[in-house]
mmCIF file of all heavy atoms in Angstrom:
data_model
loop_
_atom_site.group_PDB
_atom_site.id
_atom_site.type_symbol
_atom_site.label_atom_id
_atom_site.label_comp_id
_atom_site.label_asym_id
_atom_site.label_seq_id
_atom_site.Cartn_x
_atom_site.Cartn_y
_atom_site.Cartn_z
ATOM 1 N N THR A 164 128.117 121.184 -202.127
ATOM 2 C CA THR A 164 127.007 120.245 -201.967
ATOM 3 C C THR A 164 126.268 120.663 -200.702
ATOM 4 O O THR A 164 126.901 120.892 -199.667
ATOM 5 C CB THR A 164 127.492 118.782 -201.886
ATOM 6 O OG1 THR A 164 126.396 117.903 -201.670
ATOM 7 C CG2 THR A 164 128.519 118.574 -200.799
ATOM 8 N N PRO A 165 124.954 120.832 -200.758
ATOM 9 C CA PRO A 165 124.238 121.458 -199.641
ATOM 10 C C PRO A 165 124.237 120.609 -198.372
ATOM 11 O O PRO A 165 123.948 119.414 -198.415
ATOM 12 C CB PRO A 165 122.819 121.635 -200.182
ATOM 13 C CG PRO A 165 122.688 120.624 -201.270
ATOM 14 C CD PRO A 165 124.045 120.493 -201.869
ATOM 15 N N GLN A 166 124.573 121.242 -197.246
ATOM 16 C CA GLN A 166 124.412 120.586 -195.958
ATOM 17 C C GLN A 166 122.930 120.372 -195.711
ATOM 18 O O GLN A 166 122.139 121.303 -195.796
ATOM 19 C CB GLN A 166 125.009 121.441 -194.845
ATOM 20 C CG GLN A 166 126.509 121.398 -194.763
ATOM 21 C CD GLN A 166 127.040 122.188 -193.584
ATOM 22 O OE1 GLN A 166 127.270 123.379 -193.681
ATOM 23 N NE2 GLN A 166 127.242 121.526 -192.473
ATOM 24 N N GLY A 167 122.568 119.157 -195.413
ATOM 25 C CA GLY A 167 121.166 118.821 -195.231
ATOM 26 C C GLY A 167 120.693 117.795 -196.236
ATOM 27 O O GLY A 167 119.683 117.132 -196.035
ATOM 28 N N GLY A 168 121.439 117.646 -197.331
ATOM 29 C CA GLY A 168 121.097 116.627 -198.317
ATOM 30 C C GLY A 168 121.503 115.243 -197.839
ATOM 31 O O GLY A 168 122.479 115.086 -197.107
ATOM 32 N N VAL A 169 120.770 114.234 -198.270
ATOM 33 C CA VAL A 169 121.060 112.854 -197.871
ATOM 34 C C VAL A 169 122.431 112.417 -198.377
ATOM 35 O O VAL A 169 123.188 111.732 -197.680
ATOM 36 C CB VAL A 169 119.961 111.906 -198.397
ATOM 37 C CG1 VAL A 169 120.328 110.447 -198.155
ATOM 38 C CG2 VAL A 169 118.621 112.228 -197.732
ATOM 39 N N MET A 170 122.789 112.823 -199.588
ATOM 40 C CA MET A 170 124.047 112.402 -200.194
ATOM 41 C C MET A 170 125.250 113.197 -199.706
ATOM 42 O O MET A 170 126.390 112.735 -199.811
ATOM 43 C CB MET A 170 123.963 112.534 -201.722
ATOM 44 C CG MET A 170 123.157 111.472 -202.431
ATOM 45 S SD MET A 170 123.877 109.826 -202.268
ATOM 46 C CE MET A 170 125.491 110.074 -202.991
ATOM 47 N N SER A 171 125.018 114.390 -199.182
ATOM 48 C CA SER A 171 126.127 115.312 -198.899
ATOM 49 C C SER A 171 127.190 114.743 -197.962
ATOM 50 O O SER A 171 128.389 114.874 -198.239
ATOM 51 C CB SER A 171 125.588 116.633 -198.354
ATOM 52 O OG SER A 171 124.875 117.315 -199.353
ATOM 53 N N PRO A 172 126.827 114.116 -196.821
ATOM 54 C CA PRO A 172 127.877 113.590 -195.943
ATOM 55 C C PRO A 172 128.760 112.536 -196.621
ATOM 56 O O PRO A 172 129.981 112.534 -196.441
ATOM 57 C CB PRO A 172 127.093 112.985 -194.778
ATOM 58 C CG PRO A 172 125.789 113.724 -194.765
ATOM 59 C CD PRO A 172 125.486 113.984 -196.206
ATOM 60 N N LEU A 173 128.138 111.647 -197.410
ATOM 61 C CA LEU A 173 128.926 110.621 -198.095
ATOM 62 C C LEU A 173 129.835 111.244 -199.144
ATOM 63 O O LEU A 173 131.013 110.879 -199.259
ATOM 64 C CB LEU A 173 127.988 109.588 -198.741
ATOM 65 C CG LEU A 173 128.665 108.451 -199.513
ATOM 66 C CD1 LEU A 173 129.564 107.624 -198.592
ATOM 67 C CD2 LEU A 173 127.616 107.554 -200.175
ATOM 68 N N LEU A 174 129.321 112.201 -199.899
ATOM 69 C CA LEU A 174 130.139 112.861 -200.909
ATOM 70 C C LEU A 174 131.267 113.663 -200.273
ATOM 71 O O LEU A 174 132.384 113.698 -200.793
ATOM 72 C CB LEU A 174 129.269 113.775 -201.776
ATOM 73 C CG LEU A 174 128.210 113.075 -202.632
ATOM 74 C CD1 LEU A 174 127.373 114.089 -203.392
ATOM 75 C CD2 LEU A 174 128.854 112.078 -203.597
ATOM 76 N N ALA A 175 130.986 114.293 -199.124
ATOM 77 C CA ALA A 175 132.028 115.037 -198.411
ATOM 78 C C ALA A 175 133.132 114.101 -197.936
ATOM 79 O O ALA A 175 134.330 114.415 -198.050
ATOM 80 C CB ALA A 175 131.419 115.779 -197.226
ATOM 81 N N ASN A 176 132.751 112.950 -197.397
ATOM 82 C CA ASN A 176 133.750 111.978 -196.961
ATOM 83 C C ASN A 176 134.577 111.459 -198.131
ATOM 84 O O ASN A 176 135.795 111.267 -198.015
ATOM 85 C CB ASN A 176 133.060 110.805 -196.251
ATOM 86 C CG ASN A 176 132.898 111.032 -194.766
ATOM 87 O OD1 ASN A 176 133.658 111.781 -194.149
ATOM 88 N ND2 ASN A 176 131.919 110.389 -194.166
ATOM 89 N N LEU A 177 133.920 111.226 -199.266
ATOM 90 C CA LEU A 177 134.643 110.746 -200.446
ATOM 91 C C LEU A 177 135.640 111.802 -200.926
ATOM 92 O O LEU A 177 136.785 111.483 -201.271
ATOM 93 C CB LEU A 177 133.651 110.403 -201.554
ATOM 94 C CG LEU A 177 134.247 109.860 -202.857
ATOM 95 C CD1 LEU A 177 135.051 108.582 -202.604
ATOM 96 C CD2 LEU A 177 133.144 109.614 -203.886
ATOM 97 N N PHE A 178 135.226 113.060 -200.933
ATOM 98 C CA PHE A 178 136.123 114.143 -201.359
ATOM 99 C C PHE A 178 137.333 114.238 -200.432
ATOM 100 O O PHE A 178 138.481 114.281 -200.890
ATOM 101 C CB PHE A 178 135.360 115.463 -201.378
ATOM 102 C CG PHE A 178 136.126 116.588 -201.999
ATOM 103 C CD1 PHE A 178 135.973 116.895 -203.346
ATOM 104 C CD2 PHE A 178 137.002 117.364 -201.247
ATOM 105 C CE1 PHE A 178 136.692 117.939 -203.928
ATOM 106 C CE2 PHE A 178 137.717 118.404 -201.820
ATOM 107 C CZ PHE A 178 137.562 118.689 -203.164
ATOM 108 N N LEU A 179 137.097 114.258 -199.120
ATOM 109 C CA LEU A 179 138.201 114.408 -198.167
ATOM 110 C C LEU A 179 139.033 113.135 -198.040
ATOM 111 O O LEU A 179 140.176 113.192 -197.580
ATOM 112 C CB LEU A 179 137.659 114.827 -196.803
ATOM 113 C CG LEU A 179 137.218 116.294 -196.718
ATOM 114 C CD1 LEU A 179 136.579 116.590 -195.373
ATOM 115 C CD2 LEU A 179 138.403 117.233 -196.958
ATOM 116 N N HIS A 180 138.485 112.003 -198.447
ATOM 117 C CA HIS A 180 139.279 110.773 -198.483
ATOM 118 C C HIS A 180 140.490 110.961 -199.385
ATOM 119 O O HIS A 180 141.605 110.537 -199.042
ATOM 120 C CB HIS A 180 138.405 109.624 -198.987
ATOM 121 C CG HIS A 180 139.145 108.345 -199.202
ATOM 122 N ND1 HIS A 180 139.691 107.612 -198.173
ATOM 123 C CD2 HIS A 180 139.456 107.670 -200.355
ATOM 124 C CE1 HIS A 180 140.282 106.533 -198.653
ATOM 125 N NE2 HIS A 180 140.169 106.547 -199.977
ATOM 126 N N TYR A 181 140.274 111.618 -200.516
ATOM 127 C CA TYR A 181 141.383 111.868 -201.443
ATOM 128 C C TYR A 181 142.112 113.176 -201.128
ATOM 129 O O TYR A 181 143.342 113.243 -201.214
ATOM 130 C CB TYR A 181 140.860 111.889 -202.889
ATOM 131 C CG TYR A 181 140.510 110.511 -203.392
ATOM 132 C CD1 TYR A 181 139.188 110.079 -203.418
ATOM 133 C CD2 TYR A 181 141.496 109.630 -203.796
ATOM 134 C CE1 TYR A 181 138.858 108.803 -203.863
ATOM 135 C CE2 TYR A 181 141.182 108.348 -204.237
ATOM 136 C CZ TYR A 181 139.864 107.942 -204.266
ATOM 137 O OH TYR A 181 139.546 106.671 -204.677
ATOM 138 N N ALA A 182 141.362 114.206 -200.761
ATOM 139 C CA ALA A 182 141.984 115.515 -200.538
ATOM 140 C C ALA A 182 142.826 115.548 -199.270
ATOM 141 O O ALA A 182 143.831 116.268 -199.211
ATOM 142 C CB ALA A 182 140.907 116.602 -200.463
ATOM 143 N N PHE A 183 142.442 114.751 -198.263
ATOM 144 C CA PHE A 183 143.131 114.835 -196.973
ATOM 145 C C PHE A 183 143.635 113.477 -196.468
ATOM 146 O O PHE A 183 144.840 113.301 -196.240
ATOM 147 C CB PHE A 183 142.210 115.466 -195.925
ATOM 148 C CG PHE A 183 142.837 115.603 -194.564
ATOM 149 C CD1 PHE A 183 143.779 116.593 -194.321
ATOM 150 C CD2 PHE A 183 142.511 114.733 -193.526
ATOM 151 C CE1 PHE A 183 144.382 116.722 -193.069
ATOM 152 C CE2 PHE A 183 143.094 114.856 -192.278
ATOM 153 C CZ PHE A 183 144.026 115.847 -192.050
ATOM 154 N N ASP A 184 142.752 112.511 -196.302
ATOM 155 C CA ASP A 184 143.113 111.263 -195.619
ATOM 156 C C ASP A 184 144.256 110.525 -196.319
ATOM 157 O O ASP A 184 145.269 110.193 -195.688
ATOM 158 C CB ASP A 184 141.891 110.334 -195.516
ATOM 159 C CG ASP A 184 140.744 110.965 -194.736
ATOM 160 O OD1 ASP A 184 140.949 112.029 -194.130
ATOM 161 O OD2 ASP A 184 139.640 110.387 -194.737
ATOM 162 N N LEU A 185 144.081 110.236 -197.607
ATOM 163 C CA LEU A 185 145.126 109.499 -198.329
ATOM 164 C C LEU A 185 146.385 110.342 -198.486
ATOM 165 O O LEU A 185 147.504 109.818 -198.464
ATOM 166 C CB LEU A 185 144.609 109.055 -199.698
ATOM 167 C CG LEU A 185 143.551 107.954 -199.699
ATOM 168 C CD1 LEU A 185 143.294 107.477 -201.126
ATOM 169 C CD2 LEU A 185 143.979 106.768 -198.833
ATOM 170 N N TRP A 186 146.194 111.639 -198.648
ATOM 171 C CA TRP A 186 147.359 112.533 -198.739
ATOM 172 C C TRP A 186 148.162 112.499 -197.440
ATOM 173 O O TRP A 186 149.400 112.446 -197.466
ATOM 174 C CB TRP A 186 146.893 113.947 -199.044
ATOM 175 C CG TRP A 186 148.002 114.951 -199.094
ATOM 176 C CD1 TRP A 186 148.811 115.246 -200.160
ATOM 177 C CD2 TRP A 186 148.444 115.783 -198.012
ATOM 178 N NE1 TRP A 186 149.728 116.207 -199.812
ATOM 179 C CE2 TRP A 186 149.527 116.567 -198.499
ATOM 180 C CE3 TRP A 186 148.039 115.946 -196.700
ATOM 181 C CZ2 TRP A 186 150.200 117.485 -197.703
ATOM 182 C CZ3 TRP A 186 148.697 116.871 -195.904
ATOM 183 C CH2 TRP A 186 149.761 117.634 -196.398
ATOM 184 N N MET A 187 147.492 112.521 -196.297
ATOM 185 C CA MET A 187 148.186 112.431 -195.012
ATOM 186 C C MET A 187 148.929 111.102 -194.887
ATOM 187 O O MET A 187 150.072 111.056 -194.401
ATOM 188 C CB MET A 187 147.191 112.572 -193.862
ATOM 189 C CG MET A 187 146.773 113.990 -193.542
ATOM 190 S SD MET A 187 148.116 115.004 -192.843
ATOM 191 C CE MET A 187 148.442 114.144 -191.292
ATOM 192 N N ARG A 188 148.279 110.040 -195.339
ATOM 193 C CA ARG A 188 148.916 108.715 -195.248
ATOM 194 C C ARG A 188 150.195 108.681 -196.087
ATOM 195 O O ARG A 188 151.197 108.084 -195.677
ATOM 196 C CB ARG A 188 147.934 107.644 -195.721
ATOM 197 C CG ARG A 188 148.492 106.229 -195.673
ATOM 198 C CD ARG A 188 147.435 105.230 -196.124
ATOM 199 N NE ARG A 188 146.450 104.980 -195.074
ATOM 200 C CZ ARG A 188 145.336 104.285 -195.252
ATOM 201 N NH1 ARG A 188 145.043 103.808 -196.456
ATOM 202 N NH2 ARG A 188 144.510 104.083 -194.249
ATOM 203 N N ARG A 189 150.181 109.325 -197.254
ATOM 204 C CA ARG A 189 151.367 109.350 -198.108
ATOM 205 C C ARG A 189 152.424 110.311 -197.596
ATOM 206 O O ARG A 189 153.620 109.999 -197.581
ATOM 207 C CB ARG A 189 150.988 109.769 -199.545
ATOM 208 C CG ARG A 189 150.146 108.808 -200.315
ATOM 209 C CD ARG A 189 150.106 109.201 -201.797
ATOM 210 N NE ARG A 189 149.720 110.602 -201.988
ATOM 211 C CZ ARG A 189 148.470 111.022 -202.164
ATOM 212 N NH1 ARG A 189 147.480 110.147 -202.158
ATOM 213 N NH2 ARG A 189 148.215 112.311 -202.356
ATOM 214 N N THR A 190 152.002 111.516 -197.192
ATOM 215 C CA THR A 190 152.932 112.604 -196.893
ATOM 216 C C THR A 190 153.467 112.550 -195.468
ATOM 217 O O THR A 190 154.650 112.813 -195.223
ATOM 218 C CB THR A 190 152.249 113.961 -197.140
ATOM 219 O OG1 THR A 190 151.619 113.946 -198.425
ATOM 220 C CG2 THR A 190 153.257 115.098 -197.087
ATOM 221 N N TYR A 191 152.589 112.211 -194.519
ATOM 222 C CA TYR A 191 152.973 112.139 -193.105
ATOM 223 C C TYR A 191 152.476 110.812 -192.512
ATOM 224 O O TYR A 191 151.542 110.782 -191.702
ATOM 225 C CB TYR A 191 152.387 113.318 -192.323
ATOM 226 C CG TYR A 191 152.948 114.654 -192.731
ATOM 227 C CD1 TYR A 191 152.241 115.492 -193.588
ATOM 228 C CD2 TYR A 191 154.196 115.079 -192.265
ATOM 229 C CE1 TYR A 191 152.759 116.723 -193.972
ATOM 230 C CE2 TYR A 191 154.723 116.309 -192.646
ATOM 231 C CZ TYR A 191 154.004 117.119 -193.496
ATOM 232 O OH TYR A 191 154.537 118.338 -193.864
ATOM 233 N N PRO A 192 153.074 109.706 -192.943
ATOM 234 C CA PRO A 192 152.572 108.389 -192.521
ATOM 235 C C PRO A 192 152.641 108.153 -191.018
ATOM 236 O O PRO A 192 151.910 107.292 -190.502
ATOM 237 C CB PRO A 192 153.478 107.404 -193.282
ATOM 238 C CG PRO A 192 154.719 108.187 -193.597
ATOM 239 C CD PRO A 192 154.265 109.593 -193.814
ATOM 240 N N HIS A 193 153.486 108.890 -190.303
ATOM 241 C CA HIS A 193 153.630 108.682 -188.858
ATOM 242 C C HIS A 193 152.842 109.707 -188.033
ATOM 243 O O HIS A 193 152.884 109.663 -186.805
ATOM 244 C CB HIS A 193 155.108 108.721 -188.465
ATOM 245 C CG HIS A 193 155.944 107.716 -189.195
ATOM 246 N ND1 HIS A 193 155.739 106.354 -189.083
ATOM 247 C CD2 HIS A 193 156.978 107.874 -190.074
ATOM 248 C CE1 HIS A 193 156.613 105.713 -189.844
ATOM 249 N NE2 HIS A 193 157.374 106.614 -190.452
ATOM 250 N N ARG A 194 152.149 110.615 -188.700
ATOM 251 C CA ARG A 194 151.357 111.608 -187.975
ATOM 252 C C ARG A 194 149.899 111.146 -187.924
ATOM 253 O O ARG A 194 149.245 110.982 -188.948
ATOM 254 C CB ARG A 194 151.439 112.977 -188.655
ATOM 255 C CG ARG A 194 152.782 113.659 -188.547
ATOM 256 C CD ARG A 194 153.199 113.935 -187.115
ATOM 257 N NE ARG A 194 154.107 112.895 -186.600
ATOM 258 C CZ ARG A 194 154.013 112.349 -185.425
ATOM 259 N NH1 ARG A 194 153.057 112.693 -184.594
ATOM 260 N NH2 ARG A 194 154.863 111.426 -185.040
ATOM 261 N N ARG A 195 149.425 110.908 -186.727
ATOM 262 C CA ARG A 195 148.059 110.418 -186.564
ATOM 263 C C ARG A 195 147.062 111.580 -186.538
ATOM 264 O O ARG A 195 147.404 112.690 -186.133
ATOM 265 C CB ARG A 195 147.958 109.591 -185.278
ATOM 266 C CG ARG A 195 148.837 108.339 -185.324
ATOM 267 C CD ARG A 195 148.864 107.605 -184.018
ATOM 268 N NE ARG A 195 149.439 108.400 -182.947
ATOM 269 C CZ ARG A 195 149.586 107.971 -181.699
ATOM 270 N NH1 ARG A 195 149.186 106.758 -181.366
ATOM 271 N NH2 ARG A 195 150.125 108.755 -180.780
ATOM 272 N N PHE A 196 145.854 111.298 -186.956
ATOM 273 C CA PHE A 196 144.812 112.327 -186.987
ATOM 274 C C PHE A 196 143.461 111.682 -186.729
ATOM 275 O O PHE A 196 143.294 110.454 -186.810
ATOM 276 C CB PHE A 196 144.810 113.059 -188.339
ATOM 277 C CG PHE A 196 144.378 112.209 -189.512
ATOM 278 C CD1 PHE A 196 143.031 112.093 -189.849
ATOM 279 C CD2 PHE A 196 145.318 111.526 -190.274
ATOM 280 C CE1 PHE A 196 142.636 111.304 -190.913
ATOM 281 C CE2 PHE A 196 144.929 110.731 -191.351
ATOM 282 C CZ PHE A 196 143.587 110.624 -191.665
ATOM 283 N N GLU A 197 142.481 112.533 -186.403
ATOM 284 C CA GLU A 197 141.077 112.142 -186.359
ATOM 285 C C GLU A 197 140.309 113.149 -187.206
ATOM 286 O O GLU A 197 140.549 114.352 -187.105
ATOM 287 C CB GLU A 197 140.493 112.143 -184.939
ATOM 288 C CG GLU A 197 141.115 111.106 -184.013
ATOM 289 C CD GLU A 197 142.408 111.609 -183.398
ATOM 290 O OE1 GLU A 197 142.487 112.818 -183.070
ATOM 291 O OE2 GLU A 197 143.357 110.808 -183.272
ATOM 292 N N ARG A 198 139.402 112.634 -188.018
ATOM 293 C CA ARG A 198 138.566 113.517 -188.824
ATOM 294 C C ARG A 198 137.107 113.133 -188.630
ATOM 295 O O ARG A 198 136.742 111.974 -188.761
ATOM 296 C CB ARG A 198 138.938 113.437 -190.313
ATOM 297 C CG ARG A 198 138.070 114.373 -191.172
ATOM 298 C CD ARG A 198 138.528 114.397 -192.622
ATOM 299 N NE ARG A 198 138.349 113.114 -193.300
ATOM 300 C CZ ARG A 198 137.181 112.676 -193.778
ATOM 301 N NH1 ARG A 198 136.076 113.375 -193.617
ATOM 302 N NH2 ARG A 198 137.118 111.513 -194.394
ATOM 303 N N TYR A 199 136.293 114.132 -188.297
ATOM 304 C CA TYR A 199 134.846 113.950 -188.224
ATOM 305 C C TYR A 199 134.225 114.900 -189.234
ATOM 306 O O TYR A 199 134.148 116.104 -189.004
ATOM 307 C CB TYR A 199 134.327 114.227 -186.811
ATOM 308 C CG TYR A 199 132.878 113.825 -186.639
ATOM 309 C CD1 TYR A 199 132.544 112.517 -186.306
ATOM 310 C CD2 TYR A 199 131.856 114.735 -186.856
ATOM 311 C CE1 TYR A 199 131.231 112.132 -186.174
ATOM 312 C CE2 TYR A 199 130.530 114.359 -186.736
ATOM 313 C CZ TYR A 199 130.225 113.058 -186.390
ATOM 314 O OH TYR A 199 128.903 112.670 -186.268
ATOM 315 N N ALA A 200 133.843 114.365 -190.398
ATOM 316 C CA ALA A 200 133.378 115.171 -191.529
ATOM 317 C C ALA A 200 134.485 116.173 -191.889
ATOM 318 O O ALA A 200 135.614 115.757 -192.165
ATOM 319 C CB ALA A 200 132.051 115.851 -191.205
ATOM 320 N N ASP A 201 134.218 117.475 -191.835
ATOM 321 C CA ASP A 201 135.246 118.458 -192.199
ATOM 322 C C ASP A 201 135.989 118.994 -190.984
ATOM 323 O O ASP A 201 136.761 119.950 -191.099
ATOM 324 C CB ASP A 201 134.629 119.615 -192.985
ATOM 325 C CG ASP A 201 133.560 120.356 -192.190
ATOM 326 O OD1 ASP A 201 132.862 119.706 -191.385
ATOM 327 O OD2 ASP A 201 133.401 121.573 -192.375
ATOM 328 N N ASP A 202 135.782 118.393 -189.831
ATOM 329 C CA ASP A 202 136.450 118.804 -188.589
ATOM 330 C C ASP A 202 137.582 117.812 -188.306
ATOM 331 O O ASP A 202 137.317 116.624 -188.078
ATOM 332 C CB ASP A 202 135.426 118.810 -187.454
ATOM 333 C CG ASP A 202 135.944 119.495 -186.199
ATOM 334 O OD1 ASP A 202 137.071 120.019 -186.231
ATOM 335 O OD2 ASP A 202 135.216 119.502 -185.190
ATOM 336 N N ALA A 203 138.834 118.286 -188.319
ATOM 337 C CA ALA A 203 139.974 117.375 -188.183
ATOM 338 C C ALA A 203 141.043 117.960 -187.277
ATOM 339 O O ALA A 203 141.209 119.178 -187.191
ATOM 340 C CB ALA A 203 140.570 117.051 -189.561
ATOM 341 N N ILE A 204 141.764 117.060 -186.599
ATOM 342 C CA ILE A 204 142.929 117.449 -185.811
ATOM 343 C C ILE A 204 144.075 116.494 -186.137
ATOM 344 O O ILE A 204 143.858 115.312 -186.415
ATOM 345 C CB ILE A 204 142.640 117.428 -184.290
ATOM 346 C CG1 ILE A 204 142.143 116.048 -183.847
ATOM 347 C CG2 ILE A 204 141.636 118.504 -183.916
ATOM 348 C CD1 ILE A 204 141.990 115.920 -182.340
ATOM 349 N N VAL A 205 145.305 117.024 -186.128
ATOM 350 C CA VAL A 205 146.509 116.233 -186.405
ATOM 351 C C VAL A 205 147.431 116.335 -185.203
ATOM 352 O O VAL A 205 147.684 117.438 -184.691
ATOM 353 C CB VAL A 205 147.235 116.738 -187.665
ATOM 354 C CG1 VAL A 205 148.465 115.874 -187.949
ATOM 355 C CG2 VAL A 205 146.296 116.736 -188.870
ATOM 356 N N HIS A 206 147.966 115.209 -184.747
ATOM 357 C CA HIS A 206 148.832 115.164 -183.565
ATOM 358 C C HIS A 206 150.298 115.237 -183.995
ATOM 359 O O HIS A 206 150.726 114.522 -184.902
ATOM 360 C CB HIS A 206 148.585 113.867 -182.783
ATOM 361 C CG HIS A 206 147.160 113.704 -182.356
ATOM 362 N ND1 HIS A 206 146.666 114.198 -181.176
ATOM 363 C CD2 HIS A 206 146.102 113.106 -182.981
ATOM 364 C CE1 HIS A 206 145.377 113.905 -181.075
ATOM 365 N NE2 HIS A 206 145.006 113.246 -182.152
ATOM 366 N N CYS A 207 151.056 116.095 -183.312
ATOM 367 C CA CYS A 207 152.466 116.299 -183.656
ATOM 368 C C CYS A 207 153.332 116.217 -182.399
ATOM 369 O O CYS A 207 152.869 116.461 -181.286
ATOM 370 C CB CYS A 207 152.659 117.656 -184.330
ATOM 371 S SG CYS A 207 151.745 117.843 -185.888
#
């Protein structure tokens, strides 16, 4: 989805909500993270 489109940031967040955020919550519930669009860090 092209960077610069009005919909792209929302669609990117929706994709990573399932691909990363919810997966982290299920797989590593005690590992905290911050995600800003596609830029993310995980604390260990």
Side-chain angles (χ1 to χ4, degrees):
T164 177
Q166 283 184 273
V169 173
M170 284 296 301
S171 292
L173 179 61
L174 295 177
N176 271 334
L177 181 59
F178 189 94
L179 285 175
H180 174 67
Y181 287 100
F183 180 75
D184 300 351
L185 290 189
W186 177 84
M187 280 292 296
R188 180 179 283 171
R189 293 192 308 269
T190 311
Y191 294 100
H193 303 298
R194 290 299 97 224
R195 297 174 297 181
F196 68 87
E197 295 83 38
R198 180 174 66 79
Y199 190 86
D201 60 327
D202 192 3
I204 56 174
V205 181
H206 302 272
C207 299

